[in-house]
Amino acid sequence: MFDKFIQIAGISDKYEAQMHLDCGVNYLGFPLRLPVNKEDISEESAGEIIKSLTPPNYGIIITYLNLAEDIAKFCKELGCSIVQLHGSIEVAELKKLKTIFPELVVIKSLVTGKYSVNELKQAINEQSNFVDAFITDTFNPKTGATGATGLTHDWEISRALVEYSSKPIILAGGLNAENVYEAIIKVKPAGVDSHTGVEYENGVKNKVKVQQFCQEAIKAFDEINAVERN
């Protein structure tokens, strides 16, 4: 699942969802129940899109919910098999989530800028047994947002976390068509995620930018795989 993982988050409707699928994006992110940013889509509409997808295409709920029962209930209501947890959550709740909904794929955020590298490594130590992957992102101190900030971070931090973690690391934070190739080559993540980096100024997704993002990401992943084979 996390081989050449490319996610675009902030899908606003079924037409935008189909555009991303046509561009080769297999993972569509739906930020919902957020403490800071406004949702791009209603929960009902997100659920309709997620339920319409078939492998290898998946919808991912991106949420700040932090109680296992709430997360499991929400994912089941929307027909979602992958969740991205961006808020602070107790390890006990992650463990409980895996117990009550074992088939749910859990991606947990690692927020750079808000926590030190040592704190992020400690989070990996504590959470790895109960998550399937991690995703790095960038903290915005001005707004308090820990996702969809459009800000990049020091990729050396993400590179260090990739080398440290036994679970896949997905890279996010200010990625766009112009920098995703360099980011992948430098960090060597299992996947990448973009939200605001492939949008027009009005927040609508730009098909050309989405296509270019996918092309540059795949090129970088293929180059890394070729080097590793040799």
Side-chain angles (χ1 to χ4, degrees):
M1 171 172 286
F2 297 107
D3 180 38
K4 298 181 184 178
F5 177 104
I6 300 175
Q7 174 179 249
I8 301 295
I11 306 302
S12 61
D13 57 41
K14 63 181 180 181
Y15 303 105
E16 198 169 76
Q18 186 59 53
M19 180 270 283
H20 284 79
L21 299 178
D22 293 341
C23 289
V25 178
N26 295 126
Y27 298 93
L28 307 180
F30 298 87
L32 298 167
R33 301 194 182 181
L34 312 175
V36 178
N37 295 321
K38 182 179 180 294
E39 285 83 357
D40 302 284
I41 191 172
S42 69
E43 294 178 6
E44 180 182 3
S45 295
E48 290 175 358
I49 295 171
I50 292 170
K51 291 171 184 176
S52 73
L53 300 174
T54 56
N57 303 319
Y58 298 88
I60 299 179
I61 292 176
I62 302 169
T63 185
Y64 289 75
L65 294 175
N66 60 7
L67 296 178
E69 291 184 0
D70 292 344
I71 296 165
K73 182 174 182 290
F74 190 38
C75 289
K76 289 177 181 178
E77 286 176 352
L78 271 64
C80 188
S81 61
I82 310 174
V83 67
Q84 187 172 309
L85 302 177
H86 255 280
S88 297
I89 182 170
E90 297 292 334
V91 174
E93 291 297 322
L94 289 172
K95 182 178 181 180
K96 183 178 180 180
L97 181 59
K98 277 298 183 183
T99 300
I100 64 177
F101 197 171
E103 61 270 35
L104 181 67
V105 175
V106 178
I107 303 171
K108 180 65 183 70
S109 69
L110 298 169
V111 184
T112 65
K114 186 174 183 179
Y115 303 102
S116 69
V117 175
N118 286 338
E119 287 174 319
L120 295 174
K121 287 183 176 180
Q122 183 60 32
I124 290 173
N125 293 340
E126 295 173 351
Q127 299 169 1
S128 285
N129 288 337
F130 312 111
V131 305
D132 300 281
F134 293 98
I135 183 167
T136 64
D137 213 334
T138 311
F139 178 62
N140 186 337
K142 293 183 179 179
T143 65
T146 56
T149 63
L151 302 175
T152 56
H153 57 266
D154 183 355
W155 291 334
E156 290 293 344
I157 295 174
S158 288
R159 174 65 182 269
L161 298 177
V162 167
E163 294 174 347
Y164 184 81
S165 176
S166 62
K167 293 294 177 73
I169 300 279
I170 300 162
L171 177 66
L175 296 181
N176 53 51
E178 286 71 39
N179 65 13
V180 68
Y181 172 87
E182 180 186 356
I184 292 172
I185 295 298
K186 186 165 189 174
V187 177
K188 294 183 173 56
V192 289
D193 164 273
S194 183
H195 188 156
T196 58
V198 291
E199 295 178 343
Y200 292 105
E201 290 184 2
N202 62 1
V204 174
K205 294 295 188 291
N206 182 323
K207 183 176 181 179
V208 173
K209 289 185 177 182
V210 173
Q211 289 176 324
Q212 292 175 340
F213 183 87
C214 290
Q215 291 168 357
E216 290 297 304
I218 291 171
K219 182 173 71 171
F221 285 131
D222 285 345
E223 286 188 18
I224 290 173
N225 290 338
V227 170
E228 291 178 349
R229 285 196 299 270
N230 298 328

